[in-house]
Amino acid sequence: MYTQAIDLPNQDPDARKGEAQAPDNPDYQAQFDATLERGDFIEPKDWMPEGYRKTLVRQISQHAHSEIVGMLPEGNWITRAPTLKRKAILLAKVQDEGGHGLYLYAAAETLGVSRDALIEALHSGKAKYSSIFNYPTLTWADIGAIGWLVDGAAIMNQIPLTRCSYGPYARAMIRICKEESFHQRQGFDLLLTMMRGTPQQRAMVQDAVNRWWWPVLMMFGPHDGASTHGEQSARWGIKRISNDDLRQKFVDATVPQARVLGVTLPDPQLRWNEARGHWDFGPIDWQEFWNVVNGHGPCARERIAERVKAHEDGAWVREAALAYARKRIAAKGTPSPSTGWGEGEARSAKHEVRISGAA
Amino acid sequence: MDRNEWPLWEVFIRSRSGLDHKHCGSLHAPDARMALQNARDIYTRRMEGVSIWVVRSDQIHASDPEAKPEMFDPAEDKIYRHPTFYKLPPEVDHM
C-alpha cells in the first residue's frame, strides 16, 4: 500500500513515522483543502491534518479488526459444513476475510502506526470492531444469513468508501468490494437451497433471518443526528453517504430479495411508502446497539479471548521465522534476495527500486 | 519498528504476461521467500497474477511529495513534446 517505511529524501529515519510534517501550517492546510475540493486523493506522504490522520487510523483499523474478528463466527462452521462444496466455499470466504483484514491493516500502517500497536489495541479492548460479530452463529442457516445480510450491508457501507479521499483506503476497498460480492451471493444461494428443502430447513432460515435482521440494520450506525463523527468525515471525503441514507438503501434492496427467498422480515411496520418511494421500517432498539457496541454483546468476551489465544499460540511461529531469517543472514554475511535483510544492514544498490508512478 | 515485528514488503504483480508488474499492496514477512508465499495467498487468490515481485519497503526510495511542483511541473510548458502540438494539412494529418 505504499508504506511509511519507504525512504524519502531529506528525512531522517526516526522522523519517518508520519508526524514528520509541521502540524499546523496554513499553507499546507490550504493545499490539503484544495486537493479535497478537486476530488483528488490524499496519499500517505502528503501533508494531512492530525485529525484527518487520527480519524483514518481509527476507522481503517476498526474496519480491519472487524474483518479479522469476523472470521471467528464463520470459522466455527467450517468443520460442520453440510457438503464438501459448502465447506470449500466457506473456507474461501473466511480466507477472504483474513485477506481483507490484511489489506486494511496495511492501509492503516501507511499512516504511521505499527501493525503490532493495532493488534494490541484490539486485544486490550481499546479498539472497537463491528458489533455484528458479537452475535452467535447458532445454525448452518446463520452462515447463509451472514453472507446475504451482513455482507450485503457491508457492501452498502463499503462501496462509497472506494471513492474516499485517502488513496490507500480507497484502493483497499476496491479489492474488498469485488470479493464481497461473492460473499453475499453464496449466502443467498445457501439460503435458497435450504428454502427448497424440508420444513425444518425453511424454519431454520426464517429463524436466522429473524435474529440477524435488526442487528444488521444497526450495522449502519446511529441516526445521522446522533453520529459523532459523521459531519467532519463527510467534509474530509471519508464518508460520502450518511448512515440513515445507507440503511434506507439497504432496506430497499433487501425487501424484494426476501420475497424471492420466501422469508418474512421481522418488522410489522415494514411497508412501501409510495410518497417517499422507499420502504418504511420500524424503530431500531438503540439500547441494544449501545450495549453491544460497549462490549456487552452475547459473544464479545469469547471473540476477543479466541483472538488473543490464536495470536499467542502463533507467537512461537513468528519468532522462529524471524530467528531463522536472521540466522541465514548472519551465516551468509551479505543480504541476498532469498533471505531478506537484517536490521541496520547497508543497502545494496542493486536492490534499490524507484517506484514513482508504480503505486 | 518493533524488533519482533516482521519487516514490511511491497508487492508487485504482473497480472498477465505482456503487462508490467504493478504495485498492489504490502505485507509483513520475515524473509523474501515467505513474503512471496504470503503475497500469493493475500494478493492472488483469484488468478490476479502470473508473476510476483516483493521488495523490502525500506529499500524503496521515493520522490518527495512536497517537491511535486519542481519535479513534475516543468513538463507542462513543453507541449511541443506531444504530437498534437503540430497542426498539419488535413491530407497528411493521419501520419
Side-chain angles (χ1 to χ4, degrees):
Chain A
M1 295 291 150
Y2 201 92
T3 62
Q4 286 294 315
I6 289 170
D7 176 51
L8 283 177
N10 311 320
Q11 276 196 359
D12 73 281
D14 294 332
R16 274 197 224 142
K17 296 291 181 206
E19 284 85 26
Q21 304 102 329
D24 286 317
N25 185 318
D27 287 349
Y28 288 149
Q29 180 71 50
Q31 266 179 32
F32 174 85
D33 293 341
T35 304
L36 292 189
E37 192 63 35
R38 285 195 307 272
D40 274 356
F41 291 100
I42 304 295
E43 292 293 344
K45 297 294 185 177
D46 294 341
W47 182 90
M48 60 187 85
E50 202 43 38
Y52 178 82
R53 180 190 305 280
K54 280 194 179 139
T55 299
L56 280 170
V57 169
R58 181 178 51 78
Q59 183 173 331
I60 300 172
S61 65
Q62 268 183 21
H63 196 158
H65 299 326
S66 303
E67 300 282 357
I68 298 296
V69 176
M71 297 168 81
L72 298 171
E74 293 182 295
N76 254 341
W77 281 91
I78 290 173
T79 55
R80 288 174 282 168
T83 64
L84 185 58
K85 172 183 141 188
R86 292 291 171 192
K87 181 186 276 198
I89 292 170
L90 186 56
L91 265 172
K93 179 175 192 295
V94 173
Q95 192 192 13
D96 274 355
E97 309 294 3
H100 296 179
L102 293 174
Y103 308 156
L104 289 162
Y105 280 131
E109 284 173 89
T110 63
L111 293 157
V113 53
S114 81
R115 176 78 59 94
D116 282 355
L118 294 172
I119 302 283
E120 172 54 29
L122 171 67
H123 291 178
S124 69
K126 222 176 83 196
K128 291 203 183 343
Y129 55 90
S130 178
S131 52
I132 196 78
F133 301 116
N134 285 336
Y135 289 90
T137 39
L138 302 180
T139 73
W140 176 249
D142 288 48
I143 298 305
I146 287 181
W148 174 41
L149 297 174
V150 175
D151 292 312
I155 291 172
M156 278 297 171
N157 257 325
Q158 290 171 351
I159 284 177
L161 289 173
T162 61
R163 293 179 287 119
C164 90
S165 62
Y166 189 56
Y169 193 23
R171 292 192 285 273
M173 291 319 304
I174 289 171
R175 284 189 84 88
I176 290 173
C177 283
K178 273 189 203 158
E179 298 179 353
E180 289 288 355
S181 175
F182 141 62
H183 297 182
Q184 189 187 20
R185 294 172 71 93
Q186 67 81 35
F188 196 86
D189 179 70
L190 188 165
L191 295 178
L192 205 54
T193 307
M194 287 183 80
M195 289 303 283
R196 290 174 186 148
T198 64
Q200 289 92 327
Q201 285 175 309
R202 282 194 287 278
M204 267 166 79
V205 173
Q206 184 62 59
D207 171 62
V209 170
N210 289 348
R211 282 181 290 107
W212 286 96
W213 176 249
W214 289 105
V216 163
L217 291 193
M218 294 176 201
M219 281 174 70
F220 294 94
H223 282 311
D224 295 343
S227 173
T228 42
H229 306 295
E231 243 175 76
Q232 180 63 69
S233 286
R235 272 200 299 277
W236 276 333
I238 298 172
K239 190 163 179 57
R240 301 240 182 234
I241 307 181
S242 81
N243 291 354
D244 284 332
D245 287 352
L246 286 169
R247 188 162 20 236
Q248 183 69 60
K249 248 177 107 150
F250 174 76
V251 172
D252 290 349
T254 309
V255 171
Q257 294 167 359
R259 206 169 287 159
V260 173
L261 194 56
V263 294
T264 55
L265 298 171
D267 180 356
Q269 296 182 46
L270 194 67
R271 67 177 64 85
W272 177 250
N273 184 327
E274 192 66 52
R276 288 202 312 127
H278 291 293
W279 286 86
D280 286 339
F281 52 96
I284 289 168
D285 179 359
W286 293 110
Q287 188 56 46
E288 175 181 333
F289 171 77
W290 289 114
N291 245 344
V292 178
V293 166
N294 290 321
H296 306 296
C299 301
R301 236 177 297 171
E302 180 190 329
R303 298 285 186 246
I304 289 300
E306 250 186 281
R307 228 2 273 155
V308 172
K309 183 177 183 302
H311 191 72
E312 285 173 357
D313 287 353
W316 72 272
V317 179
R318 292 191 299 277
E319 284 160 21
L322 197 58
Y324 177 72
R326 285 178 179 156
K327 205 169 105 183
R328 292 276 299 258
I329 293 160
K332 279 206 154 186
T334 50
S336 92
S338 60
T339 56
W341 288 265
E343 278 163 12
E345 275 188 79
R347 273 184 197 134
S348 142
K350 71 174 178 181
H351 296 305
E352 286 187 7
V353 175
R354 303 205 174 261
I355 63 156
S356 319
Chain B
M1 186 176 79
D2 185 314
R3 244 194 95 69
N4 290 316
E5 192 171 278
W6 284 354
L8 201 57
W9 300 73
E10 298 303 312
V11 181
F12 301 80
I13 290 186
R14 186 201 294 287
S15 54
R16 55 192 162 82
S17 52
L19 296 181
D20 292 327
H21 284 79
K22 197 171 157 226
H23 183 250
C24 75
S26 37
L27 52 80
H28 289 271
D31 59 29
R33 201 168 55 161
M34 280 193 67
L36 281 171
Q37 181 66 44
N38 290 353
R40 169 196 174 270
D41 291 345
I42 297 169
Y43 293 108
T44 64
R45 288 195 302 281
R46 289 182 176 76
M47 299 178 294
E48 289 97 334
V50 295
S51 166
I52 303 174
W53 288 350
V54 292
V55 60
R56 278 274 299 249
S57 308
D58 56 11
Q59 298 293 313
I60 290 177
H61 302 266
S63 64
D64 183 356
E66 280 179 35
K68 246 183 252 171
E70 54 269 41
M71 267 303 251
F72 303 109
D73 280 358
E76 267 183 17
D77 57 11
K78 297 184 179 65
I79 47 171
Y80 49 82
R81 289 181 172 179
H82 296 280
T84 46
F85 177 75
Y86 303 92
K87 295 282 163 269
L88 300 185
E91 313 92 88
V92 293
D93 204 24
H94 295 294
M95 74 168 47

